[in-house]
Amino acid sequence: MRFLKSDGRLVGVLLVLAITQLIGWGTIGLPAVVGRDLAADLGMSLPMVFAGSSVLYVTMGLCAPWLARAFARHGARKVMMAGTVVAVPGYVVLYFAREPMLYFVAWVILGMGGSATLSTGAYIMLNEVAGRQAKNAIGALMLVTGLSSSIFWPTTSFLSGYFGWRGTCLVYAAMLLVISLPLYTFFAPRRKIAKDHGGAPVKASPPPAIPRSTFGLVVCAITLNAFVNFGIGAIMIELLRAEGLAPAQALAFGSMLGVIQVSARGLDLLGGGRWDGITTGLVAGTALPVAMMLLMTNEGATWAVAVFVLLYGAGSGAMAVARATIPLVFYDQAEFAKAMSMIALPLNLASALSPPLLVGLLTQFGSRGALGLTFVCSCATVLILVLLGRRRPQVAAAAAT
């Protein structure tokens, strides 16, 4: 891979981030496997148990803007070390939870830690090493982290079978302390500050100012797509059942989604540096409204469902890379860190609100209600990306050609 050959440090950084991001995202998927056990032990309904994930995303979003200055001043390594230390008590509190209040407190703590360690921090660290060339490194990382559920769902099932869900929480707390924290401490790169011959830091010439309206368009495009992807991903099986598929058929088609998404990320990675995040977003984003229109107009035909899953899986998989790399087109180094931290607020709020809203539309109006809203959001995303393409800075436009 050319981006690895051009900077050998990326190999080590990617190994560190691949392991820590797998652990980070894999462990917070605990309710997906032991949700019924949690509900029984805590006297909660299953929807309330899964609301813990919504609390996590809301907390991550609310904390993200506050971390922008920390990322810019101290670098990703120190912030991610601190976030790991903060997250550990979250699993300990979850272990001791006996009622809903403490359960949700645990997810607030995990959200505070996750805002510093999950995704945003990783992308900032890669940007510190590779600058605007970090797109393919981010794509490679997402290729690995897309497997987190495939690795940790069986792991959680195995551990809970031996230790129960409470013991599994302690195991995951130990993993953060014994694996993730040492990796960040001893193997993550320290941010380097260029110095002149006299030993004083060199002040880089400021990059061209990016209009505030451009940042607003970036936020809108990323947030709208996150709303669609997180929402449809969460309700996929119920959506297909609403289209008339039998439960076994819906599960079979839904199970294909993850493989298609990871494959699409791999194809984008193989493209090397030939295109930027906006180009990826335009191609991938166009597939989403086409997929939804196809499903809405073909009354649950098996072939239409198959094409929908293929188009939606490929489009949403590549769009996940685009969401992380579009800011690279406009921002570099410290500005990228600030931008990603600010974007994380609406992105995480959309991720938290989308599943319950789409479930409500699905229940009240059937599949057409959920598909209609996501179709409009997807079309709006594509239009915004077209506008952003016209606003590329000259250096980014040259790199994309």
Side-chain angles (χ1 to χ4, degrees):
M1 296 180 185
R2 291 185 302 170
F3 73 94
L4 292 179
K5 294 177 182 178
S6 63
D7 191 340
R9 289 186 303 161
L10 277 178
V11 178
V13 177
L14 280 171
L15 284 175
V16 168
L17 291 176
I19 296 170
T20 55
Q21 293 296 294
L22 276 175
I23 292 173
W25 284 113
T27 54
I28 64 171
L30 185 79
V33 180
V34 297
R36 293 186 182 276
D37 296 334
L38 286 164
D41 285 358
L42 300 177
M44 300 166 61
S45 66
L46 197 58
M48 280 188 68
V49 168
F50 280 92
S53 297
S54 295
V55 171
L56 171 92
Y57 283 120
V58 170
T59 305
M60 287 175 61
L62 293 175
C63 289
W66 296 94
L67 287 173
R69 184 175 298 177
F71 276 118
R73 173 178 292 184
H74 302 293
R77 172 179 168 271
K78 290 183 178 179
V79 176
M80 296 178 84
M81 287 169 57
T84 302
V85 173
V86 170
V88 170
Y91 288 108
V92 177
V93 171
L94 195 56
Y95 170 83
F96 285 107
R98 293 293 187 275
E99 69 285 328
M101 180 64 70
L102 206 56
Y103 174 77
F104 288 116
V105 168
W107 285 107
V108 170
I109 297 172
L110 290 171
M112 292 168 63
S115 66
T117 59
L118 296 178
S119 293
T120 298
Y123 304 154
I124 291 172
M125 182 177 288
L126 289 173
N127 177 257
E128 289 174 355
V129 175
R132 293 185 187 272
Q133 305 306 312
K135 176 183 184 294
N136 292 296
I138 291 174
L141 178 62
M142 297 183 75
L143 195 62
V144 177
T145 56
L147 302 173
S148 60
S149 60
S150 300
I151 295 172
F152 268 85
W153 284 2
T155 301
T156 300
S157 179
F158 173 81
L159 291 173
S160 63
Y162 276 88
F163 305 113
W165 68 266
R166 295 184 187 276
T168 303
C169 290
L170 294 183
V171 172
Y172 286 165
M175 289 179 70
L176 292 177
L177 279 177
V178 175
I179 300 175
S180 296
L181 185 59
L183 284 174
Y184 288 136
T185 303
F186 300 111
F187 299 100
R190 290 169 172 81
R191 188 175 57 181
K192 295 183 178 179
I193 301 175
K195 296 184 178 181
D196 61 19
H197 297 294
V202 174
K203 293 184 179 180
S205 58
I210 302 298
R212 185 172 297 180
S213 61
T214 298
F215 179 70
L217 290 174
V218 171
V219 171
C220 287
I222 291 175
T223 302
L224 285 171
N225 179 255
F227 178 88
V228 172
N229 282 14
F230 279 87
I232 292 293
I235 70 166
M236 175 62 76
I237 293 177
E238 292 301 323
L239 176 67
L240 297 181
R241 291 184 66 175
E243 284 291 316
L245 270 66
Q249 283 182 303
L251 180 61
F253 277 113
S255 299
M256 295 165 51
L257 187 62
V259 176
I260 297 170
Q261 288 174 328
V262 171
S263 299
R265 294 179 187 181
L267 289 174
D268 182 74
L269 177 63
L270 291 175
R274 297 184 182 90
W275 51 78
D276 60 17
I278 293 177
T279 304
T280 296
L282 280 170
V283 175
T286 302
L288 299 182
V290 172
M292 292 161 192
M293 180 60 69
L294 183 68
L295 193 61
M296 284 191 291
T297 56
N298 283 278
E299 301 295 333
T302 303
W303 70 268
V305 171
V307 176
F308 166 77
V309 172
L310 179 63
L311 288 176
Y312 173 78
S316 61
M319 276 300 297
V321 178
R323 287 200 306 271
T325 57
I326 286 172
L328 286 171
V329 177
F330 301 98
Y331 303 99
D332 202 357
Q333 300 299 330
E335 291 302 317
F336 177 81
K338 293 177 183 178
M340 289 299 293
S341 296
M342 298 302 293
I343 291 168
L345 172 58
L347 188 151
N348 282 290
L349 291 179
S351 303
L353 296 175
S354 178
L357 178 57
L358 292 185
V359 164
L361 289 173
L362 188 66
T363 303
Q364 191 72 23
F365 303 105
S367 62
R368 299 301 178 271
L371 288 171
L373 178 58
T374 54
F375 173 80
V376 171
C377 290
S378 297
C379 289
T381 301
V382 173
L383 291 175
I384 294 171
L385 288 173
V386 170
L387 293 176
L388 287 173
R390 296 176 178 175
R391 297 189 179 200
R392 279 188 183 96
Q394 289 186 351
V395 62
T401 56

